[in-house]
Amino acid sequence: MTASGEHVGRARERLTALLVDASIGALGAAGGHVAGVYLRSGTPGLLRLATLVGLPGPMFRPWWRLQVDRPFPVADAYRLGVRVVLPNATEMVRRYPQFAAGLPFQFGSVYTPVPGAASAFGVLTVLRPATPDTEDELPDLDRLGRLAEDLGAGLRELVAKEGDAAVAWEGEPVCLRPPAARPGPARVGRFTWDPATSAVHGDDRLHALLGVAPAEFPGTGAELAAAVAPADAHQVLTALRETAAGKPPGSPLRVRAGDGAARLLELWPPPGATEASLVSGIVVDPGPAASADGAADLLPHGVFCLDRTGLVLYVNPAAARLAGRPRAELQGRPVWEAMPWLSGPPYDDHWRGALLSPGPVHFQVRHEDTGEGEWLSLSLHPGPELVTCTVVPADRIDPAVHLPRPPDPDAAGPSDTADRPSMAPLYRPIALAIALTDAVTARQVSAVVTQELLPAFGGRRLAIYLLQDRHFYLAWENGFPPGFLSPFDGVGLDAHLPGVETLTTGRPLFFESMQKLADTYPGIPLDASEGARAFLPLIASGRPVGSCILGFDTERGFSTEERTVLTALAGLIAHAMEKAQRYDSEAALARGLQQALLPRRLSAHPLVETVGRYLPGTQGMDVGGDWYDVVEAGDGLALVIGDVQGHGVQAAATMGQLRSAVRAFALGDRPPDEVLSGTNHLLIDLDPGQFASCCYVRLDPATGHARVARAGHPPPLLRAPDGRTRVLEIPGGVVLGVDPRARYPVTELELAPDAILALYTDGLVERPGADIDDGITALRVALAQAGPAPGRRGGRSLPAVADRLTAMARHSAARPDDVALLLATRRPGPAMT
């Protein structure tokens, strides 16, 4: 093993240890049964699950990857840097309906950001029993916060030594069982093994478990294998070597100590393992409880037990007989491998429910491996460490009480429809439907399909074509080679192509391989020599919308269930796209209206420089009613900023009317209070069902004397020439359009040469889950740090200051509201220079 490889291995070992320790600590802090850490990955905007304690990883694969802009609690905690607490399923449904649709079970959860230097490293997550919304039922949030801070400190130290890449997680999560509630002495010992030197490093718990002093601890892999399992040493050594090569055992090894006691050995390499990677592992001694396995051997009905990672720890003879396999082939393996007829839809949902909710779960399953297929009734009883399962033939269970009963030869067999496999575990249409309700543009709809639909079916490529004027135009593509789809853009309805014919016939087309696609459509260009394709018609309310193409990297078949689900999902996508096309038309009209109404240039004065900035929101209708203006008012200038409630054409139209009214009053050099009162009456007379906030400043450029009035608008900021910046405490009236008797008091102030006056709308200072006063304080600090005053040598230009203040909002991918900013500064007059 090279020195650099050993160095990387040590860093990964340190990272994994930090994450595992934090996850296990979080279980105790929150009284939870599941914990884990999401870390940022090398892919921008993508979080990956790095550790998972208390759940079987494969059964929760859809949640291994998470986009930071999705409406999920982990994403909010990471993006906003705030803790998210969901005490129960009711609160989960209210705040995160998409998350609740994917995991519709009774549990509570807490999500605590792990602080980094500039942004969060990730999120410490705990799932716990559901509680009422009362404070005294909540977990120890302060202790969780300290665990997250300690983890962040450890990760920052690792970054300082190894760089950012050391804490970017790639690949699958490390999945572990939770520690026992009352662990016996030395139940778990941890070690690492270097495949190049065969050196073993163990912790004190491993020394105690093996009964040797640290000075006498075996120093090689062979000696470790002999100490852990003398009779199975060769099996342990083989597992160590395969794990070092990146092929760890699919489940913990079940071996025997020298005295015959059972032991479990878990091994895992760091992510991105090579043959030179360090192997990490733990040795688990189940303790005296293991000798009690025979207690259930005499029971007439089947009993088997799993740990919380899905590993089968015990099977009694009756359960083995019903499963149709020897006990030795069942124990020590994950349940979905030991009993594959218990996995897949809808049974994965039953297992998830048992692992996440406190109550028992009952269901029936048809065991196809037993001749004609025997119906079995299962009951899953979850505990903090184990899930105990009972299994009996279906005709021996009373569905009312779920207890064994004498056989009833006259009883009807299980209904074929009563337990028909649900489509939900294949992919929950309701989850996609809820996600699509938040998508309003064609690009947003396509992005949701990419993030939600492709991973559910293992797809790698997506293309969406929309029909316009009897021709197909590419609206979205993902995963196809650059330029490959260009020749298909603009094809007509008469083209002999599967993407066209799936819409004209209304039938989805499925091809298990590229060869079958080429045989059906000779001469069609192919982007790969292998793989499968699905072409889905997008039809909404009987009207053709377009077609959706899903691409897979390998050949695969499409079951009847998958074809049914994909066809149904295509209908959801079609309706969302139809809505998006209507939105795009309205948005184009609103953008044009807004651009026409916003000032092309600001009124100028030799002694005053002004700069304005406007940023549309990036969520929902991306045009709104924010505006700013600079108007000649007698021998002075009027500085105006306002915000009409709402978005869309109506808000833009109302904004235009208000801007025209304010300009008319300003050109007449009316006092600020009269300007706002007159505009207020106009808005009430128009009765558009909207209200607006506004701040109006009448400035005398020669003297710097200003008179200010505001109507429900955030207070201005003033930066003095020496850099001191303050919030102007200006009394204000209510928003415009509400009270015809409203009054708007006027406040006087002085604008010194080189001082900066900042007017802004709430979109610049509001953040979800945060107090607006905190946002105003942050903007004040940013303005204070903007550098020397614009008129001084080396100072930033006023446009540069405006760009600096809007930089964070400009680069935000999830900006819920519009942003408007107006800056003004006085230049020194001839007598002042």
Side-chain angles (χ1 to χ4, degrees):
M1 182 175 186
T2 65
S4 60
E6 182 177 357
H7 185 73
V8 172
R10 295 289 183 197
R12 280 297 180 183
E13 177 190 351
R14 172 62 177 158
L15 173 62
T16 302
L18 285 171
L19 300 175
V20 170
D21 289 345
S23 301
I24 292 176
L27 287 177
H33 45 248
V34 178
V37 179
Y38 280 89
L39 278 186
R40 60 196 187 197
S41 67
T43 303
L46 180 68
L47 299 177
R48 288 186 181 274
L49 184 61
T51 55
L52 182 62
V53 178
L55 287 178
M59 205 167 286
F60 291 82
R61 187 180 296 272
W63 294 271
W64 284 7
R65 304 165 72 253
L66 187 65
Q67 300 288 336
V68 299
D69 59 351
R70 301 301 297 145
F72 284 83
V74 172
D76 275 2
Y78 175 82
R79 190 179 63 254
L80 303 176
V82 298
R83 179 166 47 216
V84 177
V85 180
L86 302 176
N88 48 50
T90 301
E91 185 69 5
M92 186 194 310
V93 170
R94 186 183 71 82
R95 296 176 58 184
Y96 298 97
Q98 291 186 41
F99 181 55
L103 291 171
F105 310 112
Q106 287 292 335
F107 65 93
S109 52
V110 183
Y111 308 85
T112 304
V114 179
S119 61
F121 284 116
V123 178
L124 179 61
T125 302
V126 183
L127 308 186
R128 61 188 309 278
T131 60
D133 297 333
T134 54
E135 288 292 330
D136 57 347
E137 296 288 345
L138 293 178
D140 189 343
L141 300 181
D142 290 339
R143 187 177 167 196
L144 274 178
R146 290 193 296 271
L147 282 169
E149 290 173 0
D150 292 344
L151 175 58
L155 297 180
R156 288 194 296 274
E157 180 181 342
L158 197 57
V159 167
K161 293 180 180 179
E162 311 294 342
D164 288 339
V167 297
W169 193 269
E170 307 294 344
E172 299 184 358
V174 173
C175 300
L176 300 171
R177 63 175 53 83
R182 293 180 296 277
R187 287 199 64 193
V188 179
R190 182 184 295 169
F191 67 91
T192 60
W193 176 67
D194 186 337
T197 64
S198 197
V200 174
H201 299 278
D203 63 5
D204 293 339
R205 290 175 293 180
L206 182 66
H207 302 153
L209 187 151
L210 297 178
V212 296
E216 302 172 356
F217 177 67
T220 67
E223 292 170 328
L224 172 70
V228 171
D232 302 316
H234 65 286
Q235 183 182 0
V236 174
L237 275 175
T238 299
L240 287 170
R241 296 190 188 102
E242 291 180 350
T243 303
K247 300 177 181 178
S251 60
L253 295 179
R254 192 175 181 90
V255 295
R256 291 287 174 181
D259 60 359
R263 281 178 177 166
L264 295 176
L265 181 67
E266 292 192 52
L267 303 172
W268 66 88
T274 65
E275 292 186 0
S277 296
L278 289 175
V279 171
S280 299
I282 59 173
V283 179
V284 181
D285 183 354
S291 62
D293 287 349
D297 284 0
L298 302 179
L299 294 178
H301 56 275
V303 177
F304 61 98
C305 297
L306 322 174
D307 69 5
R308 293 194 63 85
T309 65
L311 189 73
V312 179
L313 299 181
Y314 166 76
V315 180
N316 77 345
R321 188 166 53 252
L322 290 171
R325 302 181 70 175
R327 296 171 72 179
E329 294 184 11
L330 298 173
Q331 294 181 160
R333 301 179 62 186
V335 65
W336 50 87
E337 293 180 7
M339 307 176 194
W341 42 275
L342 275 179
S343 63
Y347 309 118
D348 284 352
D349 256 9
H350 295 315
W351 288 113
R352 283 191 278 260
L355 291 164
L356 293 176
S357 303
V361 176
H362 309 281
F363 62 95
Q364 292 184 343
V365 58
R366 189 165 190 165
H367 186 4
E368 299 291 351
D369 295 343
T370 57
E372 298 180 357
E374 181 181 10
W375 282 91
L376 303 175
S377 290
L378 274 83
S379 294
L380 313 180
H381 301 270
E385 300 168 28
L386 298 175
V387 178
T388 301
C389 313
T390 62
V391 53
V392 296
D395 60 359
R396 291 177 52 204
I397 211 76
D398 184 342
V401 296
H402 298 288
L403 291 175
R405 66 176 185 179
D408 182 1
D410 298 325
S415 168
D416 286 341
T417 60
D419 198 44
R420 182 175 294 168
S422 165
M423 295 302 102
L426 277 175
Y427 185 77
R428 296 180 180 278
I430 188 173
L432 180 62
I434 294 174
L436 288 174
T437 61
D438 294 333
V440 293
T441 69
R443 291 187 61 83
Q444 289 172 344
V445 171
S446 303
V448 167
V449 176
T450 301
Q451 295 172 1
E452 300 285 346
L453 181 61
L454 280 185
F457 289 89
R460 298 289 186 179
R461 295 172 170 85
L462 172 71
I464 294 180
Y465 285 87
L466 297 181
L467 183 65
Q468 183 178 354
D469 297 330
R470 299 183 61 80
H471 288 78
F472 282 80
Y473 295 95
L474 184 63
W476 180 271
E477 64 172 305
N478 181 77
F480 285 93
F484 171 75
L485 296 176
S486 298
F488 304 102
D489 200 18
V491 299
L493 285 175
D494 56 348
H496 182 54
L497 294 170
V500 175
E501 294 187 357
T502 188
L503 182 63
T504 56
T505 64
R507 293 184 296 103
L509 303 175
F510 299 94
F511 299 95
E512 298 177 356
S513 67
M514 298 298 283
Q515 183 59 50
K516 291 189 175 181
L517 174 61
D519 292 343
T520 307
Y521 294 89
I524 187 174
L526 303 178
D527 64 302
S529 58
E530 60 180 359
R533 291 291 181 270
F535 297 83
L536 308 175
L538 302 182
I539 301 174
S541 304
R543 298 174 53 191
V545 175
S547 58
C548 175
I549 305 171
L550 301 179
F552 304 84
D553 285 344
T554 58
E555 297 183 3
R556 56 158 295 172
F558 296 90
S559 67
T560 302
E561 292 81 5
E562 286 180 314
R563 295 177 185 231
T564 301
V565 171
L566 284 171
T567 303
L569 294 179
L572 292 177
I573 298 168
H575 281 283
M577 277 296 182
E578 185 182 44
K579 180 185 69 174
Q581 288 178 314
R582 291 196 302 268
Y583 164 84
D584 287 338
S585 299
E586 181 181 351
L589 173 61
R591 280 192 294 268
L593 177 60
Q594 186 179 50
Q595 290 171 0
L597 294 175
L598 284 173
R600 294 182 178 272
R601 64 179 181 84
L602 300 178
S603 297
H605 192 283
L607 296 180
V608 179
E609 180 184 4
T610 57
V611 170
R613 292 287 185 269
Y614 174 79
L615 303 175
T618 58
Q619 292 182 341
M621 175 65 75
D622 62 351
V623 289
D626 291 22
W627 92 94
Y628 60 84
D629 207 350
V630 179
V631 188
E632 295 181 8
D635 57 356
L637 287 179
L639 311 174
V640 189
I641 195 161
D643 181 3
V644 177
Q645 168 241 355
H647 296 81
V649 174
Q650 182 62 52
T654 301
M655 176 269 285
Q657 292 171 312
L658 293 187
R659 176 173 176 256
S660 298
V662 172
R663 285 185 66 87
F665 288 126
L667 289 170
D669 202 11
R670 303 280 291 275
D673 56 334
E674 293 185 18
V675 172
L676 293 186
S677 294
T679 307
N680 179 46
H681 284 103
L682 173 66
L683 185 57
I684 291 174
D685 291 341
L686 291 173
D687 192 23
Q690 294 173 304
F691 57 84
S693 67
C694 184
C695 184
Y696 183 93
V697 181
R698 202 283 187 187
L699 174 65
D700 185 340
T703 64
H705 183 72
R707 305 180 69 211
V708 186
R710 67 187 184 101
H713 202 81
L717 304 179
L718 181 62
R719 184 184 190 276
D722 61 3
R724 290 179 298 173
T725 306
R726 60 192 175 97
V727 179
L728 297 178
E729 299 297 338
I730 297 173
V734 298
V735 292
L736 306 175
V738 174
D739 182 4
R741 297 170 296 177
R743 295 293 180 263
Y744 301 97
V746 176
T747 301
E748 300 188 0
L749 61 92
E750 301 296 325
L751 184 64
D754 289 329
I756 300 176
L757 180 67
L759 308 179
Y760 54 92
T761 57
D762 56 10
L764 188 59
V765 292
E766 277 190 329
R767 298 291 182 272
D771 194 297
I772 190 173
D773 290 338
D774 296 336
I776 293 175
T777 299
L779 182 63
R780 179 186 62 76
V781 172
L783 180 59
Q785 297 173 345
R792 299 188 178 185
R793 177 177 297 179
R796 288 187 177 89
S797 66
L798 200 62
V801 174
D803 290 339
R804 182 183 177 90
L805 297 184
T806 57
M808 183 175 295
R810 188 181 302 276
H811 294 100
S812 173
R815 187 172 59 250
D817 203 357
D818 309 343
V819 169
L821 174 70
L822 179 62
L823 300 181
T825 186
R826 286 179 63 220
R827 300 187 180 97
M832 303 176 186
T833 57

